[in-house]
Structures are given as structure tokens and as C-alpha cells.
Amino acid sequence: MGYTNRGKANAVIRRMQITYLNRPKSVAIGMLALVTFLFYTATTQPQGKFQAKGSTPVAAKSQTAIKIDGEKNIYEDPNSLTKTERYQSLGMKGATLWFTGLSGSGKSTIGKKLEEVLVRDYRKHTYRLDGDNLRFGLNSDLKFSPEDRKENVRRVGEVAALFAEAGNVVVASLISPYRVDRDEVRRIHREKGLPFFEVFVDVPVSITEARDPKGLYKKVRAGEIKGFTGIDAPYEAPLHPELTLKSAEMDLEEEVRTVIIELQKHGVLTATDDTPSWYPALIPPDGGMDWAPPAYSTYSSAAAAKFPQVLLNDIDLQWV
């Protein structure tokens, strides 16, 4: 029941007052309270569709597409949610970590461990896009010519940007031997306003060949594989990567820790818009960081690892 005219509402109140004048006092008071509420609602509620308290009017969605391809007759349909709204609902931001390096450098090994730590320990949405895995499905039609390698990187870059825009930390592990192709992936992310971290897993070919976890180098030397990156096909090392991991000189935990600190430094693991000015002296919210200034470090990591462990999430920490 609702009223749109103040005069009608006043008339109803007068009639109700007369009707219940001789009724018990408690009933009259109750009815007058109800009618007063209806009067308030009728005279303060905006006309049209109901609007929740504290909300702002929702403007009609624009029908003007941002991108138009007249030849294909396709139109971009923008999202109604902003990245900020999405990230705030998740308590983190989306970003892409692009691991590049020779076959056998450790890209996939680092990526798997990083995904495990971010999901299990930090409770962050993370997904790994592995170059080999994607060639079983998304890129199953591609081979290893320079043209196919370029398309392979482009496809994975577009998918990574979609995952990052949805609020995931994307761990992409691909050889991606050409700088121009990696730069194109960076451009895709930059245009969408998404953080992009090029991570160079820097290991000399002599070491990757000695490791040879898949037996590929052996096949190359036997002449069974042609156009193998680092042997008879080029690899263009990054000139200015966000991170360089000297995998032959670092253990796996140190590599993962280095990447996580980089994410924290840029505020990816929190929903806040800016990195706090006091970073890294205090623990930031939503996942925090496992780093403390030397003055506050009483125990070594080895000693601390022997202590009893309790799995806590962000809600648990609100009570600490």
C-alpha cells in the first residue's frame, strides 16, 4: 500500500483518527503509528522503481558500444561492474605473472609451487596457465614455427588478461622466446589497466640441458627435434623484467617468496587501491606478508618452522 499525494495521506490519517477514537487506547496508538509510517513512506519515497536506503540511482545502461567491428558486425558490451567493485568483493586484485625462460629452467616448477602457496596459505584466487598444458586444448592446432609461437603467446596473453580482470593472480609459464610477443601481452594488460609482471627465470642453457627433465635436449642432440629454443632456435631474454630469478642459484622456497613479496609490494594481495606508505614495516591486510624488519625477528626461519602451526584465515585474524 502506498500513496503519492500528501493531501490523500492526511485525509486517511483524519479518518483513522475518527474511526478509532472510541476504541481501546492501545489499538488506537498502534493504528496511528502504522498510518504515520505509511504517510512518511508516501511523502518521502521517490516515484518509480523502489530504491534501497543508501543506494544511488542506477543510470540506464548505455547502448553505445566502446568497440565496433563493422566488417564482422560485432560490438563490445562493457561490464556493469568496475574492477574496483570486483576486487573489493574478493579482497585482492587481479594480476598476471608471466614466467619466461628456456625449457628446463624451472618455470613450471616455480609456477606450481607459487599457485599452491597463494591458494593454501594466502587464500588468494590463483590459476596457472602452463604452456604445455594449453597445447593439449586451447592451442592444440599450433606447432612451433615462429608464426605459431606468436599466436600461442597471443592467445595465452588474452586468456591471462581475462582471468586477471576477474580478480585472479595468473601464473603463466611459457618459453615465449620473442620479446615482441611478450611486449604485446604486456600491452594487452596495460590497455585494460591490469598489473603485469614479466618474470625471467634466468638459467644458462648448459644447466637446462644438464637437467633435461623431459628428455627434449637429448632428442635435439640426436636430431629428432628441430627448431628447439636455445639450441637451433633463438631465445630473446627480457631486457627489463620486473623480476629475475636465478634458478640455478636459488632454492624453490626463495623463488616463491621473492615473487610473493613483489606482489605484496604492489598491493596485489589486498583490495586497497594504494600500497600503504608504511610498507613493509607493518603487516598489510587481506593476506599480509610473512616478512618482518630484522629488529623484530627473534627466530630464524628454520627454528620457526619447528613451532606448532595453526591454519588461520582473514576472519580468524580479526580476533587476534
Side-chain angles (χ1 to χ4, degrees):
M1 180 179 181
Y3 300 91
T4 59
N5 184 279
R6 183 183 296 269
K8 290 182 180 179
N10 282 325
V12 170
I13 291 177
R14 288 196 296 273
R15 286 199 296 271
M16 295 299 290
Q17 288 174 330
I18 294 171
T19 301
Y20 290 96
L21 185 61
N22 297 320
R23 298 294 179 90
K25 185 175 181 180
S26 60
V27 175
I29 292 175
M31 292 303 297
L32 285 173
L34 173 61
V35 174
T36 302
F37 169 76
L38 293 173
F39 171 77
Y40 171 80
T41 303
T43 56
T44 59
Q45 178 66 35
Q47 296 298 315
K49 189 176 180 180
F50 176 79
Q51 181 178 329
K53 182 179 180 181
S55 65
T56 56
V58 179
K61 188 175 180 180
S62 173
Q63 297 300 314
T64 303
I66 294 178
K67 294 181 182 178
I68 301 176
D69 188 326
E71 294 182 359
K72 298 179 181 177
N73 294 313
I74 56 175
Y75 302 81
E76 184 180 43
D77 186 12
N79 290 324
S80 58
L81 285 175
T82 65
K83 287 198 296 293
T84 299
E85 289 176 301
R86 196 182 303 277
Y87 293 167
Q88 286 176 344
S89 73
L90 297 173
M92 62 178 290
K93 300 182 183 71
T96 292
L97 295 158
W98 192 273
F99 288 81
T100 177
L102 297 173
S103 176
S105 60
K107 302 181 299 298
S108 296
T109 301
I110 300 169
K112 284 191 288 188
K113 185 63 177 179
L114 177 63
E115 180 185 38
E116 176 186 321
V117 171
L118 285 173
V119 172
R120 293 180 177 173
D121 297 346
Y122 286 81
R123 294 294 190 266
K124 299 303 176 183
H125 297 271
T126 310
Y127 195 77
R128 188 171 66 96
L129 298 175
D130 184 80
D132 281 359
N133 292 347
L134 292 169
R135 283 185 176 271
F136 284 99
L138 177 67
N139 297 330
S140 60
D141 59 320
L142 301 178
K143 298 188 183 303
F144 293 92
S145 67
E147 295 77 18
D148 280 2
R149 287 179 181 271
K150 179 182 183 69
E151 177 61 13
N152 178 59
V153 171
R154 187 197 68 81
R155 290 183 191 179
V156 180
E158 292 282 4
V159 172
L162 290 173
F163 271 79
E165 196 167 24
N168 294 274
V169 171
V170 181
V171 181
S173 304
L174 294 89
I175 293 175
S176 44
Y178 303 116
R179 292 191 194 103
V180 65
D181 298 338
R182 298 193 301 266
D183 288 344
E184 174 63 15
V185 176
R186 183 187 295 275
R187 182 196 64 78
I188 292 171
H189 284 71
R190 186 189 301 119
E191 285 191 353
K192 295 178 180 290
L194 299 168
F196 179 84
F197 302 87
E198 187 176 33
V199 183
F200 178 29
V201 185
D202 185 9
V203 181
V205 68
S206 58
I207 294 178
T208 60
E209 185 171 0
R211 291 176 176 176
D212 200 11
K214 302 173 185 176
L216 298 179
Y217 286 94
K218 184 178 180 180
K219 290 184 177 181
V220 172
R221 297 304 184 188
E224 299 176 23
I225 298 178
K226 300 294 183 182
F228 192 80
T229 302
I231 302 297
D232 56 351
Y235 177 78
E236 299 173 357
L239 298 178
H240 305 288
E242 277 71 19
L243 281 175
T244 297
L245 301 178
K246 299 280 188 179
S247 186
E249 305 170 11
M250 303 168 71
D251 61 37
L252 185 57
E253 289 186 1
E254 184 181 1
E255 291 169 322
V256 169
R257 179 183 174 85
T258 299
V259 176
I260 290 178
I261 289 178
E262 183 72 9
L263 292 175
Q264 291 169 330
K265 184 170 70 174
H266 290 274
V268 172
L269 302 186
T270 75
T272 54
D273 290 332
D274 299 309
T275 303
S277 59
W278 34 258
Y279 179 92
L282 297 176
I283 299 176
D286 293 318
M289 55 183 291
D290 55 359
W291 182 93
Y296 300 105
S297 299
T298 307
Y299 300 96
S300 67
S301 298
K306 299 178 182 179
F307 294 162
Q309 298 183 9
V310 178
L311 183 63
L312 300 176
N313 57 32
D314 290 349
I315 296 177
D316 297 327
L317 291 176
Q318 293 178 15
W319 299 93
V320 176

